[in-house]
Amino acid sequence: EAGVAQSPRYKIIEKRQSVAFWCNPISGHATLYWYQQILGQGPKLLIQFQNNGVVDDSQLPKDRFSAERLKGVDSTLKIQPAKLEDSAVYLCASSLGGTGRTGELFFGEGSRLTVL
Amino acid sequence: GNSVTQMEGPVTLSEEAFLTINCTYTATGYPSLFWYVQYPGEGLQLLLKATKADDKGSNKGFEATYRKETTSFHLEKGSVQVSDSAVYFCALTPSGNTPLVFGKGTRLSVIA
Protein backbone atom coordinates (compact mmCIF):
# COMPACT_ATOMS: atom_id res chain seq x y z
CA GLU A 1 0.00 0.00 0.00
CA ALA A 2 1.41 3.37 -1.00
CA GLY A 3 1.97 5.84 1.82
CA VAL A 4 1.31 9.56 2.03
CA ALA A 5 3.22 11.34 -0.71
CA GLN A 6 4.51 14.90 -0.35
CA SER A 7 6.46 17.21 -2.62
CA PRO A 8 8.77 18.94 -2.80
CA ARG A 9 10.95 17.47 -0.06
CA TYR A 10 13.01 20.64 0.25
CA LYS A 11 12.40 24.25 -0.74
CA ILE A 12 14.48 27.37 -0.17
CA ILE A 13 12.92 30.77 -0.89
CA GLU A 14 13.46 34.39 -0.01
CA LYS A 15 11.08 36.18 2.35
CA ARG A 16 8.00 37.64 0.66
CA GLN A 17 8.11 34.95 -2.05
CA SER A 18 5.42 32.32 -2.36
CA VAL A 19 5.59 28.54 -2.10
CA ALA A 20 3.21 25.62 -2.53
CA PHE A 21 3.32 22.12 -1.10
CA TRP A 22 1.43 19.15 -2.43
CA CYS A 23 0.13 16.09 -0.62
CA ASN A 24 -1.46 12.89 -1.86
CA PRO A 25 -2.97 10.86 1.00
CA ILE A 26 -3.39 7.12 1.27
CA SER A 27 -6.12 5.93 -1.06
CA GLY A 28 -9.51 5.90 0.62
CA HIS A 29 -8.52 8.10 3.54
CA ALA A 30 -11.24 10.69 4.05
CA THR A 31 -9.39 12.91 6.51
CA LEU A 32 -6.31 14.93 5.64
CA TYR A 33 -4.22 17.11 7.95
CA TRP A 34 -1.47 19.66 7.48
CA TYR A 35 0.88 20.14 10.41
CA GLN A 36 3.73 22.62 10.85
CA GLN A 37 6.81 21.42 12.72
CA ILE A 38 9.28 24.11 13.69
CA LEU A 39 12.76 22.90 14.68
CA GLY A 40 12.78 21.70 18.28
CA GLN A 41 9.00 21.68 18.60
CA GLY A 42 6.25 19.16 18.10
CA PRO A 43 3.92 19.23 15.10
CA LYS A 44 1.20 21.87 15.28
CA LEU A 45 -2.04 21.44 13.35
CA LEU A 46 -2.67 24.00 10.62
CA ILE A 47 -5.79 22.58 8.98
CA GLN A 48 -7.93 19.44 8.91
CA PHE A 49 -10.09 18.36 5.97
CA GLN A 50 -12.85 15.77 5.96
CA ASN A 51 -13.23 14.81 2.30
CA ASN A 52 -13.12 18.25 0.63
CA GLY A 53 -14.58 20.22 3.54
CA VAL A 54 -12.62 22.07 6.23
CA VAL A 55 -13.15 20.70 9.74
CA ASP A 56 -10.66 22.85 11.65
CA ASP A 57 -8.53 25.73 10.42
CA SER A 58 -8.45 27.72 13.65
CA GLN A 59 -4.63 27.77 13.77
CA LEU A 60 -4.04 28.55 10.11
CA PRO A 61 -2.59 32.09 9.63
CA LYS A 62 -5.15 32.99 7.00
CA ASP A 63 -3.51 36.24 6.01
CA ARG A 64 -0.70 34.29 4.36
CA PHE A 65 -1.56 30.58 4.39
CA SER A 66 -4.20 28.85 2.31
CA ALA A 67 -5.04 25.22 1.67
CA GLU A 68 -7.44 23.37 -0.53
CA ARG A 69 -8.56 19.84 -1.19
CA LEU A 70 -10.73 20.25 -4.23
CA LYS A 71 -11.75 16.70 -5.10
CA GLY A 72 -11.44 15.21 -1.64
CA VAL A 73 -8.17 13.52 -2.53
CA ASP A 74 -4.91 15.43 -2.85
CA SER A 75 -4.28 18.77 -1.22
CA THR A 76 -2.17 21.88 -1.68
CA LEU A 77 -0.87 24.19 1.04
CA LYS A 78 0.28 27.63 -0.07
CA ILE A 79 2.20 30.36 1.72
CA GLN A 80 2.14 33.86 0.24
CA PRO A 81 4.08 35.93 1.17
CA ALA A 82 6.51 33.86 3.23
CA LYS A 83 8.13 35.17 6.41
CA LEU A 84 11.33 34.05 8.10
CA GLU A 85 9.32 32.40 10.89
CA ASP A 86 7.63 30.11 8.35
CA SER A 87 10.83 28.07 8.13
CA ALA A 88 9.68 24.62 9.22
CA VAL A 89 8.80 21.14 8.05
CA TYR A 90 5.27 20.89 6.69
CA LEU A 91 3.77 17.50 7.41
CA CYS A 92 0.79 16.01 5.68
CA ALA A 93 -1.09 13.17 7.33
CA SER A 94 -4.20 11.19 6.55
CA SER A 95 -6.59 8.86 8.33
CA LEU A 96 -9.57 6.72 7.39
CA GLY A 97 -12.08 8.71 9.39
CA GLY A 98 -11.46 11.30 12.05
CA THR A 99 -8.73 10.89 14.62
CA GLY A 100 -11.13 8.79 16.62
CA ARG A 101 -9.92 6.81 19.56
CA THR A 102 -7.37 4.99 17.41
CA GLY A 103 -5.26 8.09 16.87
CA GLU A 104 -3.61 6.48 13.90
CA LEU A 105 -2.52 9.12 11.51
CA PHE A 106 -0.30 8.19 8.60
CA PHE A 107 2.34 10.82 7.93
CA GLY A 108 4.32 11.71 4.86
CA GLU A 109 8.03 12.45 5.08
CA GLY A 110 7.39 16.18 5.12
CA SER A 111 8.42 19.21 3.08
CA ARG A 112 11.24 21.25 4.60
CA LEU A 113 10.94 24.98 3.94
CA THR A 114 13.78 27.42 4.51
CA VAL A 115 12.97 31.13 4.20
CA LEU A 116 16.01 33.42 3.80
CA GLY B 1 -6.40 23.88 27.03
CA ASN B 2 -4.98 20.58 25.91
CA SER B 3 -1.22 20.13 26.08
CA VAL B 4 1.56 17.58 26.40
CA THR B 5 4.87 18.02 28.20
CA GLN B 6 7.80 15.71 27.50
CA MET B 7 11.19 15.47 29.09
CA GLU B 8 13.90 17.45 27.36
CA GLY B 9 16.35 15.61 25.20
CA PRO B 10 18.58 14.49 23.80
CA VAL B 11 18.82 11.21 25.65
CA THR B 12 21.92 9.12 25.00
CA LEU B 13 22.04 5.52 26.19
CA SER B 14 24.25 2.51 25.70
CA GLU B 15 22.79 -0.55 24.02
CA GLU B 16 20.75 -2.76 26.40
CA ALA B 17 20.16 0.10 28.85
CA PHE B 18 16.73 0.81 30.33
CA LEU B 19 14.79 3.67 28.78
CA THR B 20 12.23 6.01 30.29
CA ILE B 21 10.88 9.06 28.52
CA ASN B 22 8.51 11.05 30.71
CA CYS B 23 5.26 12.49 29.39
CA THR B 24 2.56 14.38 31.28
CA TYR B 25 -0.58 15.90 29.90
CA THR B 26 -3.31 18.45 30.51
CA ALA B 27 -6.67 17.78 28.93
CA THR B 28 -10.39 18.17 29.42
CA GLY B 29 -12.35 15.00 29.83
CA TYR B 30 -10.78 11.64 29.12
CA PRO B 31 -8.24 11.87 26.33
CA SER B 32 -6.66 9.06 24.36
CA LEU B 33 -2.86 9.00 24.61
CA PHE B 34 -0.26 8.03 22.05
CA TRP B 35 3.43 7.69 21.38
CA TYR B 36 4.66 8.39 17.88
CA VAL B 37 8.19 7.72 16.63
CA GLN B 38 10.17 9.36 13.85
CA TYR B 39 13.15 7.37 12.59
CA PRO B 40 15.85 9.25 10.66
CA GLY B 41 14.65 10.17 7.18
CA GLU B 42 11.14 8.81 7.74
CA GLY B 43 7.71 10.18 8.61
CA LEU B 44 6.10 9.94 12.03
CA GLN B 45 4.48 6.61 12.77
CA LEU B 46 2.29 5.39 15.60
CA LEU B 47 4.23 3.36 18.16
CA LEU B 48 1.55 2.61 20.76
CA LYS B 49 -1.64 3.95 22.27
CA ALA B 50 -3.97 3.78 25.28
CA THR B 51 -7.54 4.95 25.26
CA LYS B 52 -8.59 4.81 28.92
CA ALA B 53 -7.15 4.97 32.40
CA ASP B 54 -4.90 2.06 33.46
CA ASP B 55 -4.62 0.80 29.88
CA LYS B 56 -1.13 -0.28 28.86
CA GLY B 57 -0.05 0.21 25.28
CA SER B 58 2.82 -1.89 23.97
CA ASN B 59 4.70 -2.46 20.74
CA LYS B 60 8.24 -3.46 19.71
CA GLY B 61 9.24 -3.91 23.36
CA PHE B 62 8.06 -0.42 24.31
CA GLU B 63 5.34 0.09 26.92
CA ALA B 64 3.39 2.99 28.38
CA THR B 65 0.61 2.98 30.99
CA TYR B 66 -2.17 5.58 31.08
CA ARG B 67 -2.08 7.00 34.62
CA LYS B 68 -5.04 9.29 35.20
CA GLU B 69 -4.12 10.07 38.81
CA THR B 70 -0.74 11.48 37.78
CA THR B 71 -1.83 12.56 34.26
CA SER B 72 1.15 10.70 32.84
CA PHE B 73 2.01 8.32 30.00
CA HIS B 74 5.69 7.53 30.37
CA LEU B 75 7.39 5.47 27.66
CA GLU B 76 9.63 2.60 28.79
CA LYS B 77 11.76 -0.10 27.24
CA GLY B 78 13.78 -2.63 29.15
CA SER B 79 16.69 -2.98 26.74
CA VAL B 80 17.24 -0.47 23.95
CA GLN B 81 18.95 -1.21 20.66
CA VAL B 82 20.85 1.02 18.26
CA SER B 83 17.87 0.75 15.90
CA ASP B 84 15.68 2.51 18.49
CA SER B 85 17.53 5.77 17.84
CA ALA B 86 14.80 8.19 16.80
CA VAL B 87 12.68 11.10 17.98
CA TYR B 88 9.74 10.12 20.18
CA PHE B 89 6.59 12.23 20.45
CA CYS B 90 3.89 11.94 23.09
CA ALA B 91 0.45 13.03 21.87
CA LEU B 92 -3.19 13.14 22.90
CA THR B 93 -6.60 13.59 21.41
CA PRO B 94 -9.31 14.86 23.74
CA SER B 95 -12.20 13.30 21.87
CA GLY B 96 -13.36 11.44 18.81
CA ASN B 97 -12.59 13.67 15.87
CA THR B 98 -10.24 16.13 17.50
CA PRO B 99 -6.79 16.37 15.93
CA LEU B 100 -3.74 15.14 17.79
CA VAL B 101 -1.87 17.52 20.09
CA PHE B 102 1.85 16.71 20.21
CA GLY B 103 4.63 17.26 22.69
CA LYS B 104 7.95 18.74 21.58
CA GLY B 105 9.60 15.38 21.06
CA THR B 106 12.56 13.66 22.71
CA ARG B 107 15.56 12.60 20.67
CA LEU B 108 17.03 9.24 21.67
CA SER B 109 20.48 8.12 20.59
CA VAL B 110 21.59 4.59 21.41
CA ILE B 111 25.28 3.80 21.08
CA ALA B 112 26.79 0.34 20.68
Side-chain angles (χ1 to χ4, degrees):
Chain A
E1 177 183 84
V4 176
Q6 289 188 247
S7 67
R9 290 293 310 279
Y10 305 93
K11 189 72 176 180
I12 301 173
I13 61 173
E14 307 241 330
K15 60 183 178 184
R16 291 188 289 275
Q17 287 186 325
S18 63
V19 63
F21 301 111
W22 173 83
C23 171
N24 187 252
I26 292 173
S27 177
H29 280 195
T31 308
L32 185 147
Y33 312 79
W34 283 102
Y35 281 84
Q36 179 193 56
Q37 186 177 13
I38 293 173
L39 186 65
Q41 299 182 23
K44 183 188 85 170
L45 181 73
L46 292 175
I47 189 167
Q48 176 186 354
F49 293 94
Q50 182 86 15
N51 297 308
N52 59 350
V54 175
V55 174
D56 184 349
D57 64 355
S58 57
Q59 298 188 80
L60 187 74
K62 298 182 185 65
D63 58 333
R64 298 182 300 105
F65 285 64
S66 64
E68 59 183 14
R69 192 184 185 199
L70 288 176
K71 296 182 180 179
V73 182
D74 56 354
S75 176
T76 303
L77 175 71
K78 296 180 181 177
I79 308 173
Q80 181 179 8
K83 292 185 175 181
L84 296 177
E85 59 261 36
D86 298 332
S87 295
V89 177
Y90 292 86
L91 299 169
C92 180
S94 69
S95 63
L96 271 174
T99 308
R101 304 305 276 183
T102 68
E104 184 145 26
L105 271 59
F106 295 83
F107 283 85
E109 293 180 346
S111 294
R112 182 179 297 276
L113 173 66
T114 301
V115 182
L116 303 175
Chain B
N2 302 303
S3 66
V4 174
T5 303
Q6 291 181 235
M7 64 185 285
E8 295 281 334
V11 174
T12 303
L13 295 173
S14 297
E15 211 166 19
E16 299 183 3
F18 184 85
L19 168 72
T20 300
I21 300 178
N22 290 338
C23 171
T24 57
Y25 68 89
T26 302
T28 53
Y30 301 94
S32 292
L33 303 173
F34 310 91
W35 278 100
Y36 272 75
V37 59
Q38 187 172 30
Y39 298 105
E42 300 183 15
L44 280 83
Q45 54 188 277
L46 181 65
L47 179 61
L48 54 82
K49 64 179 186 255
T51 58
K52 60 183 188 296
D54 300 324
D55 266 3
K56 179 185 285 187
S58 61
N59 187 23
K60 298 182 181 180
F62 290 89
E63 293 183 339
T65 301
Y66 188 143
R67 301 286 188 201
K68 190 171 184 300
E69 64 276 12
T70 54
T71 62
S72 65
F73 193 55
H74 304 321
L75 182 68
E76 297 182 335
K77 186 174 186 182
S79 175
V80 294
Q81 305 300 312
V82 172
S83 56
D84 294 326
S85 297
V87 182
Y88 293 82
F89 293 90
C90 187
L92 67 81
T93 179
S95 64
N97 197 31
T98 310
L100 288 173
V101 174
F102 286 89
K104 291 186 176 183
T106 303
R107 182 176 298 278
L108 170 66
S109 295
V110 180
I111 53 178

